[in-house]
Amino acid sequence: MLRILIVLLAVLLVSEAHSTEAGWALLREGGHVVLLRHANAPGTGEPANFDIAKCATQRNLSDRGRQQARRIGALFAARAAPVERVLTSSFCRCKDTATLAFGDRLTEIYEPLDFLPGDEEGNEERAAALTQFILDYTDSGNLVMVVNEDVVDRLLHVRPHEAEAIIVGRAGEDLHVAGRIRFN
């Protein structure tokens, strides 16, 4: 039984490594949209006094999260994955991940990425706008969108790990997962 468990674990690790390498190969081509889940921010949900304009009322990056964000930027540079633009949610953990990884020069807030707790109607409208925005993307460099996991789940029906990049595939009017890159 122990041997079977060890073999399954080894297969899983090799599979993740292969998936990550395939993801980097896609990004080196350019022209892709990447949904990057923010780095480590301990906890779940938002505090009762949540205000998107005030970082003190939100879950924020931990020291580990700040290190992850810097590592993400270093890996994008080292792997020669061309980043043309970085859009981020207004959530502080997303903004901080974006600026630590890619710097202020490339990073801008994009409000349709702000899926808000309890605003299902607004979130549905944001999801429709984001889907169209992604389908219409035609630039040669990669577009990175730093988001909370619920954005990825709503658009692609997958739950990314913290600091995981999901490369979005586009086929007709549909979005799908074209690749994944795990950073931790």
Side-chain angles (χ1 to χ4, degrees):
M1 182 67 175
L2 182 58
R3 284 185 186 172
I4 293 172
L5 185 60
I6 291 171
V7 168
L8 288 174
L9 183 60
V11 168
L12 178 64
L13 291 175
V14 168
S15 176
E16 277 190 19
H18 183 268
S19 175
T20 293
E21 286 307 314
W24 283 118
L26 284 172
L27 293 185
R28 277 191 293 277
E29 294 172 6
H32 292 282
V33 175
V34 178
L35 297 176
L36 174 64
R37 182 175 173 204
H38 62 77
N40 182 261
T44 58
E46 298 304 328
N49 64 340
F50 169 77
D51 181 343
I52 199 162
K54 297 179 182 174
C55 292
T57 67
Q58 302 176 35
R59 289 187 304 116
N60 292 295
L61 295 182
S62 64
D63 288 339
R64 178 174 168 239
R66 287 186 286 282
Q67 290 172 346
Q68 282 176 326
R70 287 184 198 98
R71 183 170 180 256
I72 289 167
L75 284 170
F76 265 86
R79 296 292 192 125
V83 176
E84 184 149 327
R85 191 172 176 198
V86 178
L87 301 177
T88 180
S89 163
S90 300
F91 284 83
C92 296
R93 58 187 172 268
C94 296
K95 289 189 304 190
D96 292 346
T97 297
T99 56
L100 288 168
F102 302 104
D104 289 332
R105 185 180 61 79
L106 289 179
T107 303
E108 62 185 279
I109 292 174
Y110 186 61
E111 289 182 17
L113 297 173
D114 295 339
F115 282 35
L116 299 171
D119 184 13
E120 282 310 307
E121 187 175 317
N123 292 343
E124 199 58 43
E125 290 173 11
R126 290 178 193 89
L130 277 173
T131 298
Q132 195 58 55
F133 184 81
I134 292 168
L135 288 170
D136 292 343
Y137 185 75
T138 59
D139 290 352
S140 60
N142 295 308
L143 168 64
V144 176
M145 300 175 132
V146 184
V147 298
N148 287 315
E149 71 181 305
D150 54 336
V151 175
V152 180
D153 187 31
R154 179 78 58 111
L155 297 179
L156 300 172
H157 310 292
V158 297
R159 302 290 284 183
H161 297 277
E162 70 183 32
E164 181 177 15
I166 307 295
I167 302 160
V168 181
R170 297 164 284 187
E173 296 297 311
D174 295 322
L175 304 179
H176 64 275
V177 176
R180 296 174 92 134
I181 299 174
R182 295 280 308 269
F183 289 99
N184 17 332

